[in-house]
Amino acid sequence: MSRKFTAEHEWIEPTDANTATVGITVHAQDALGDVVYVDLPEVGSHHDQGAVAGVVESVKAAADLYMPVSGTVIEVNEALRADPALANRDPLAEGWFFKVKLDDASQLDALMDATAYEALTAK
Amino acid sequence: MTAASDSAPAPATPSPVEPQRTPLHGLHQRLGGKIVPFAGWALPVSYPQGQVAEHRHARTAAALFDVSHMGQVRLDGPGFKAIATALEALLPADVLGLAVGKQRYSQFTTAEAGVVDDLMIARPPEGALGGVLGSVFLVVNASNADTDLALLRAGLPAGITATRLHDRALLALQGPEAVAALARVAPGAADTLNALRFMEGAGVELAGAACWVVRSGYTGEDGVEISVPADQAVALAEALLADAAVQPAGLGARDTLRLEAGLCLHGHELDVSITPIEAGLAWSIPKVRRAGGARAGGYPGAAVVEAQLREGPARRRVGLLAQERVPVRDGAALHDAAGRPVGRVCSGTLSPGVAQPIAMAYVEAACAAEGSTLFAQVRGRGVPVTVSALPFVPHRYRRA
């Protein structure tokens, strides 16, 4: 299954049947400007879909990170903590934020695919 | 992901009307500027090179800012002396003592000594630019320009007029290479430009346009602010951008630069509830306007200012350096080690120059000593911050 997107400008990509990686989109990092700080969730913490799981800060603003699906955080990107600008340079790969164990993989089905997300950001 | 707060630039004044465009609007679009509403104007917050790169360029070379949203106001009347005397009834500066070609910084005050706006006051040479700048020329903040004009019209006697110049743009060229770059663009004006010291101005021809150039700015760097006819602003900006040292910079970099330089932004460090003394601007109130001076007081709120000069204000503007990487932003409450609220942050960012979070805040005078540790409330936890001297980055004005 391919990468999915949310209206909050996050992406989530399944890594196997019940885990996925979460990050922010190219559009999100562009809107934020230079990212200087990330507040990542605790490994082992559980969050419901839509809950605030972290914060990303640029020189000009702070933005909340929402859980695209319900689940438990199993890993966070320590490289991003050390070098927050990764979120600008490579938001869809090296600049990932955290990995989750999914409560319910079917929640992914309701999210946008790349085409639908592009249509949203083109508005 | 949604913006939870936006501390730079300051939030735009909500306005049902379409934001106004500066004469450089098309140029900003061609340069790939990210246009945002600010104080009723559409202005670039950054360009493709990004806010941090733009900030660094202003510290190392020359950055070009469009500040045409600022209000340019000419004062006219029966001679400089009459106008200066009238203006001194509205603010605590020494306007009468302003030499030809000089500029000063001051604040319009309320009866309680709150700051209505901060502004620049210049005395252009007689007949400079054919007299378009008036006998006294003011530059005021965009968001307060209407308030300032109303204040001037109500407070100036009959026969002295205040007129906003809508047909002029304002450019700021800032950085260690700013004046050299400007001299390359206008070789004929090089001697005049090189002779200018901080807060001195001259009428010069730049790229064929009759400009008023003052050696001043809002970054802490050497540089100039250029008032140029609106219809010639694009040509001048393009000529400057063609110089290898010059890059465009947006409002985002302007804000982080002024924060590092410890300079006040009205709406953050200054407003009608804050006095110039609390804001650390006593340096802008000269002896002649203080108790015992030849023209002491006589402006709104003078008694409050005098009392605070005598006794010290109850709260002060201070710098803060965060002891962690997390940015501490506008609005964050400050507590002491005992958990007692002692103040509030008015601006904050992660400084591109200092590479750590910096902020300015108002704190109780007892907590304002350099080196004091306070705790800024960020998302429910106390981030330790150290009270620090301002500016964070030394000013490099050309004073001598």
Side-chain angles (χ1 to χ4, degrees), chain B residues 286-298 306:
Chain B
K287 264 191 196 157
V288 70
R289 301 301 311 276
R290 297 190 188 190
R295 300 191 309 284
E306 280 305 328

Side-chain angles (χ1 to χ4, degrees), chain A:
Chain A
M1 188 166 153
S2 59
R3 197 189 300 255
K4 291 296 191 94
F5 298 85
T6 71
E8 287 76 38
H9 307 288
E10 284 145 17
W11 57 262
I12 179 163
E13 186 167 37
T15 33
D16 59 38
N18 64 355
T19 62
T21 307
V22 175
I24 67 170
T25 65
V26 173
H27 172 85
Q29 66 78 31
D30 183 57
L32 272 168
D34 297 320
V35 174
V36 292
Y37 177 82
V38 292
D39 206 343
L40 298 170
E42 294 274 326
V43 171
S45 62
H46 180 273
H47 306 268
D48 290 336
Q49 185 174 39
V52 174
V55 174
V56 53
E57 300 221 27
S58 71
V59 269
K60 70 171 192 239
D64 289 329
L65 280 171
Y66 297 96
M67 275 302 262
V69 292
S70 302
T72 303
V73 177
I74 53 174
E75 194 184 339
V76 297
N77 187 354
E78 293 297 342
L80 184 67
R81 233 196 279 261
D83 180 13
L86 272 177
N88 296 117
R89 289 201 306 273
D90 196 4
L92 300 180
E94 293 294 310
W96 61 277
F97 276 68
F98 54 87
K99 293 180 181 174
V100 288
K101 184 169 178 296
L102 309 170
D103 286 1
D104 173 5
S106 75
Q107 284 183 329
L108 291 167
D109 301 340
L111 301 179
M112 281 178 272
D113 62 12
T115 312
Y117 178 70
E118 262 164 49
L120 175 83
T121 56
K123 276 176 195 168

Side-chain angles (χ1 to χ4, degrees), chain B residues 14 31 95 198 235 278 323 366 393:
Chain B
L31 293 167
V95 189
F198 184 58
E278 292 170 335
Q323 295 170 19
V393 172

Side-chain angles (χ1 to χ4, degrees), chain B residues 41-80:
Chain B
W41 292 78
L43 286 161
V45 65
S46 61
Y47 296 90
Q49 56 267 43
Q51 187 175 331
V52 172
E54 292 161 30
H55 175 113
R56 293 199 171 123
H57 199 77
R59 291 269 180 254
T60 55
L64 182 68
F65 301 85
D66 178 11
V67 288
S68 302
H69 57 303
M70 306 282 283
Q72 301 182 63
V73 179
R74 63 178 287 173
L75 302 182
D76 295 278
F80 172 77

